[in-house]
Structure formats: C-alpha cells, structure tokens
Amino acid sequence: MQLRQEPQFFEMNHQLTYYECDESGHPSMSMLLSMFSMVSDAHCLFLGMDTATIQQTGGAWVITNYEGTLAKNQPTFGDQVVLGTRPLEYNRFFATREFWLRSENGQEYARVKGMFVFMNLTTRKMESIPAQLIEPFQSSQTKRIAHLRRPQDLADGKAVQADYRVRYFDIDVNHHVNNARYFDWLLAPLEREFLSQHRVATFAIQYSQEVRPHEMVTSVGHYHQGKQGLESQHQIKVGDRLCTIADFTWY
Amino acid sequence: MQLRQEPQFFEMNHQLTYYECDESGHPSMSMLLSMFSMVSDAHCLFLGMDTATIQQTGGAWVITNYEGTLAKNQPTFGDQVVLGTRPLEYNRFFATREFWLRSENGQEYARVKGMFVFMNLTTRKMESIPAQLIEPFQSSQTKRIAHLRRPQDLADGKAVQADYRVRYFDIDVNHHVNNARYFDWLLAPLEREFLSQHRVATFAIQYSQEVRPHEMVTSVGHYHQGKQGLESQHQIKVGDRLCTIADFTWY
C-alpha cells in the first residue's frame, strides 16, 4: 500500500526500534502515543507549519483526551511499519484527529482518536485555535464537535498503587512532562506479572491538570473481570489534585 | 556521504524523533546509547545474525564499558542523521566496537567505544565468545585487547543524590534493565538547572553488577570545576552493592 501525504491524510514509514518496545517486544503504550505525536508533527511540517510558525502564535497545542483500540496482534521491534494521521473536525476551541499504526501491507495494529485545545503559553489558558494552524488541514469546521469518551471512574476490584517522581528525562522539548509518559505511570503499578500476561485492547485517557517537573505523582489502578473481559480504571494524582484519569480493557 | 554497509563498517540513516531528545531538543545520553545499540543490532542482522542465531547459543552480549566524546554542536529532533558502527578487536572473552553519530554530510556529533563480553544466560557467567557471533565481522583477533578507560572514583565537589525505583518500562526485550537507562539515573540527580546549562563533552561508564527489576537504585554524583573544565563522577548502588560507576566532563 502506497503512502499518501495530503492535507487531510498523512502517512510515514517507520522502523520500530527496540527502545520503542517493552519487554514483550511490542510497542509500549507511551511509545505508541509518542510515535503518533511524531507523525502529527511530520504532518504539520509537511503543510509548512514548523516549530517557528507555532511559536509565533505564543501558544501550543495541548492534548486533552485519547481514545483507542489495539489489535491483538502487534508489530515487533525491527518491523517496518506505517504511522498515519488525519484531521477529523474542529470548532473554535477543539480539534480532533485520528491516528493509526499499520503494517506495510495494510494490517491495522492500532487506531486512536485525540482531542486537542490551544493554550496561550503566557496566560496558561485555553484560547481559540489560530486560523493559520488549523486551516491548512482543510478539515471540517463544525459547531458541535464529537467529544471523546470520558474514562470510567475507579470501580471495585484489586487495587494497585505506586508513587513516581518526575525525572528530568520525562520532560520533553516543550518543557513539560511528555503526555505519553503518563502511560508509563498509569500502567507500571500493574507490575510485571500482569503486564507480561495481558495486552491493551482499548483505552481512554483524559488529561485535566498538568504534572509539573519535580512533582511526585501517585498512580492508582483498580482492575477486575468485567462483562467484556478484564478491565481497569486509573487515576494519577499529585497530592489531592486529580491530574489524569484513564481506563483500559485487556486481552 | 554515502552509507557503507560491510562486515567491518556499517552505517544506517535515522530521523531523530522528539522522544529521542531531551528538553534541550538534542539527543539524551540514554537515547544516544540506545541508537548505538540499534545500529549494532542492524549490523548483526545485515551479517545474518538475527535474534534466533544469538538465542541458539544460550547466551547474550553484555556491555561492560562505554567511553566517548560528544561534539559541542548536536543534532536536533527532526534531523536526518547517520548512525555508524564498526568492530575494533576481540579475544576469547572481550570484543570492542566503535560507534558514531554524524550528519548526512559528515559532521561528527559523537564517537563512542564499547566493550562487550558474552554471558551464558543459564549460569549468568561470562563465557568465551561463540565463533559464529564474532567471525562474520572479520575484525582482528588479538591476545591483549585495549581496555577502555575506567571511570574516575568520586572526587571532592558538590554532591547530589537521588533514589529511583526501576519501572516496568525500564526493562527491555532482553528482560533486563536497559543499559542505556542507567544514563537517566546517573544524570537526573544533577537537576534541571545544571542539565539545561551544560552538555556532556566526554564520558566513561563501567557496568559491574546488574540492577534487577523492582530494585531501588541510589544514584550519587559529585561535580566540581577541574583543570579541563567542569567534571563529575557518579555511582549507582543498590544498597551496598556498587553496580555502575561513571564520569563526565561538561561543556
């Protein structure tokens, strides 16, 4: 299958490295989302929106939610894969985008939707999306944007918990804790036995408050056998501040 | 400059992703070493030594030391770079290899030597390097191999220290803590102010004992202004067990 690179559809080749994969040999969730972030950046660049263009607005794109499904069969490090993304819709304040990971011959490994807002870096508040950063995608403008699924609250089940201090190397070039990194915090408390025997089937995550450098996060998870199989709900807090909620179902 | 792919010299193209870079926008030390590991794997694969070939021996390559220099000017995420490696020499128990990172037109960003031994995965002891894993490189066999520089012991200076618990996602496909990950532990205690104002110029690291999943490591560093500029010495311990020593000089 040939790659398409257009305003409304963008794909790139990528060879999966071993450090994008966890112990299972398949991409870790944090690296999957990092790769999606990469293809999104490449799409912007392809349409002439480089870092300088974005910085000139005095703001930055901020992710609020992801929601996605993963196939049971996942690629292995060394594999040639294709990363893809396309804009879905937007209104004054919100924009949604779809991402996928597939094999070169079209087998789909993951499909994820993301919702973004635009933050003024001086006031640290949301502001309307600058026209020059959204129009190049030629996506549909809409009054009422379809929101992503809100992750479930903690349900009954076996509880796990761990504290993690933000490490210097969790901070990315945008000078804040990388969004993908939250997946390491969310999942690591489940521990090796669980993680080596199960794989993510679906997930939803909602970022509400930023974790800052130096802070200590508490990651809490509950898991139980639900009607559709094994499921888990998670929270990341800094003290009493609820920063992120997420849920997963598992193969 | 064209890429050469031969038994004694191997290069590959790579586009630097933002998640291989730290807050400075340049590759983090842990990712630099991960990328070198990747080009080394690619070289093995190019010569017909895939994971299965290595697993059949019942053993695995283990890194004991790295020693290297970095240029002041480093590439930035999004850049097309070239990763290279070549075997240096070997004897019954040790093999050395050189790595480099350069721009497409030949500007060198980093040059690193690594020393490897071969470990029997059942006895967890060093054993002689299997002929089928070393002969394909056509490198020179020697009685007395040139050893790499041993990192300096802790010297006087400002002391920094931090504890890190091994996270599940620090473990790689070989089921142990990724060697490159140690650089995050070594450097993170220096904190953001130091790390945002200085860049690694030279380093040496010696791995003596493995850190295991679930363990808590203590990372200690001392830094001071030496004759050649700012320098630091580091130790990683698990309780009283000294696992890794390293030193750095800084731009």
Side-chain angles (χ1 to χ4, degrees), chain A residues 12 14-26 28-31 33-35 37-38 41 45 51 77 83 164-176 178 180-181 183-185 187-188 191-193 195-196 213-214, chain B residues 12 14-26 28-31 33-35 37-38 41 45 51 77 83 164-176 178 180-181 183-185 187-188 191-193 195-196 213-214:
Chain A
M12 66 187 277
H14 181 66
Q15 184 173 21
L16 211 54
T17 69
Y18 84 90
Y19 50 91
E20 287 158 351
C21 296
D22 63 22
E23 199 180 16
S24 71
H26 307 302
S28 67
M29 285 299 294
S30 67
M31 282 302 185
L33 277 299
S34 292
M35 290 186 274
S37 203
M38 172 173 70
D41 287 349
L45 213 56
T51 314
F77 66 102
L83 295 163
Y164 300 100
R165 183 169 296 284
V166 178
R167 298 180 188 168
Y168 177 73
F169 297 99
D170 295 330
I171 303 171
D172 68 15
V173 289
N174 294 319
H175 307 293
H176 43 103
N178 191 293
R181 187 65 53 218
F183 282 91
D184 289 348
W185 295 333
L187 298 177
E191 299 285 359
R192 198 172 182 186
E193 196 187 324
L195 293 167
S196 62
H214 292 291
Chain B
M12 65 186 279
H14 181 67
Q15 185 174 20
L16 211 54
T17 69
Y18 84 91
Y19 50 92
E20 287 158 350
C21 296
D22 62 23
E23 200 181 14
S24 71
H26 307 302
S28 67
M29 284 298 295
S30 68
M31 282 301 185
L33 276 299
S34 292
M35 290 187 273
S37 202
M38 171 172 71
D41 288 350
L45 212 58
T51 314
F77 67 100
L83 294 163
Y164 300 100
R165 183 168 296 286
V166 178
R167 297 180 189 167
Y168 177 74
F169 296 99
D170 295 329
I171 303 171
D172 68 15
V173 289
N174 294 319
H175 307 292
H176 41 106
N178 191 293
R181 187 65 54 220
F183 283 91
D184 289 349
W185 295 333
L187 298 178
E191 299 286 0
R192 199 172 182 185
E193 196 187 324
L195 293 167
S196 62
H214 291 293

Side-chain angles (χ1 to χ4, degrees), chain A residues 55-66:
Chain A
Q55 280 172 350
Q56 275 160 25
T57 65
W61 287 108
V62 171
I63 179 89
T64 67
N65 291 75
Y66 284 118

Side-chain angles (χ1 to χ4, degrees), chain B:
Chain B
M1 281 175 69
Q2 224 174 340
L3 298 193
R4 280 166 55 197
Q5 300 199 327
E6 300 160 14
Q8 292 183 39
F9 193 101
F10 185 89
E11 292 190 326
M12 65 186 279
N13 289 308
H14 181 67
Q15 185 174 20
L16 211 54
T17 69
Y18 84 91
Y19 50 92
E20 287 158 350
C21 296
D22 62 23
E23 200 181 14
S24 71
H26 307 302
S28 67
M29 284 298 295
S30 68
M31 282 301 185
L32 179 69
L33 276 299
S34 292
M35 290 187 273
F36 286 156
S37 202
M38 171 172 71
V39 68
S40 194
D41 288 350
H43 192 193
C44 287
L45 212 58
F46 170 75
L47 295 173
M49 291 171 281
D50 59 6
T51 314
T53 317
I54 299 170
Q55 280 172 351
Q56 274 160 23
T57 65
W61 288 107
V62 171
I63 178 90
T64 67
N65 291 76
Y66 284 119
E67 178 192 335
T69 12
L70 282 81
K72 200 161 187 178
N73 181 30
Q74 288 292 311
T76 303
F77 67 100
D79 285 359
Q80 287 289 348
V81 293
V82 174
L83 294 163
T85 186
R86 67 186 182 108
L88 295 174
E89 46 177 15
Y90 72 99
N91 63 20
R92 201 173 151 209
F93 288 109
F94 296 94
T96 50
R97 177 172 277 279
E98 194 172 41
F99 303 94
W100 56 91
L101 175 69
R102 65 169 177 88
S103 71
E104 286 184 313
N105 59 18
Q107 187 191 348
E108 187 162 297
Y109 298 122
R111 186 161 291 263
V112 170
K113 282 181 189 167
M115 177 168 270
F116 299 82
V117 295
F118 203 77
M119 189 176 72
N120 181 308
L121 286 174
T122 312
T123 63
R124 308 296 285 179
K125 289 200 173 129
M126 208 167 114
E127 62 178 25
S128 57
I129 299 169
Q132 69 270 32
L133 294 190
I134 194 77
E135 283 168 359
F137 295 113
Q138 303 173 14
S139 56
S140 354
Q141 194 170 3
T142 171
K143 268 241 164 74
R144 292 178 64 86
I145 203 164
H147 279 256
L148 304 194
R149 182 170 72 74
R150 186 186 179 280
Q152 294 165 9
D153 292 320
L154 293 181
D156 288 341
K158 183 161 163 41
V160 293
Q161 177 168 340
D163 296 334
Y164 300 100
R165 183 168 296 286
V166 178
R167 297 180 189 167
Y168 177 74
F169 296 99
D170 295 329
I171 303 171
D172 68 15
V173 289
N174 294 319
H175 307 292
H176 41 106
V177 179
N178 191 293
N179 278 302
R181 187 65 54 220
Y182 288 67
F183 283 91
D184 289 349
W185 295 333
L186 286 166
L187 298 178
L190 292 169
E191 299 286 0
R192 199 172 182 185
E193 196 187 324
F194 182 101
L195 293 167
S196 62
Q197 287 172 19
H198 300 98
R199 261 186 228 172
V200 172
T202 68
F203 72 98
I205 184 169
Q206 181 168 309
Y207 301 96
S208 40
Q209 300 225 28
E210 200 180 353
V211 172
R212 290 183 285 262
H214 291 293
E215 289 187 323
M216 178 76 93
V217 303
T218 301
S219 172
V220 177
H222 287 188
Y223 64 88
H224 72 281
Q225 197 65 36
K227 281 180 198 156
Q228 316 283 317
L230 194 60
E231 52 184 66
S232 63
Q233 301 86 30
H234 303 256
Q235 293 186 341
I236 287 177
K237 286 183 169 182
V238 175
D240 290 335
R241 200 169 91 233
L242 183 61
C243 296
T244 302
I245 54 173
D247 66 33
F248 299 85
T249 63
W250 300 86
Y251 289 120

Side-chain angles (χ1 to χ4, degrees), chain A residues 92-131:
Chain A
R92 199 173 152 208
F93 289 109
F94 296 94
T96 50
R97 175 173 278 279
E98 194 171 41
F99 302 95
W100 56 91
L101 174 69
R102 65 169 177 88
S103 70
E104 286 184 312
N105 59 19
Q107 188 191 347
E108 186 163 298
Y109 298 121
R111 187 161 291 264
V112 171
K113 282 182 189 166
M115 176 167 270
F116 300 82
V117 295
F118 203 78
M119 188 176 73
N120 181 308
L121 286 174
T122 312
T123 63
R124 310 296 286 179
K125 287 198 174 132
M126 208 166 113
E127 62 178 26
S128 57
I129 299 170

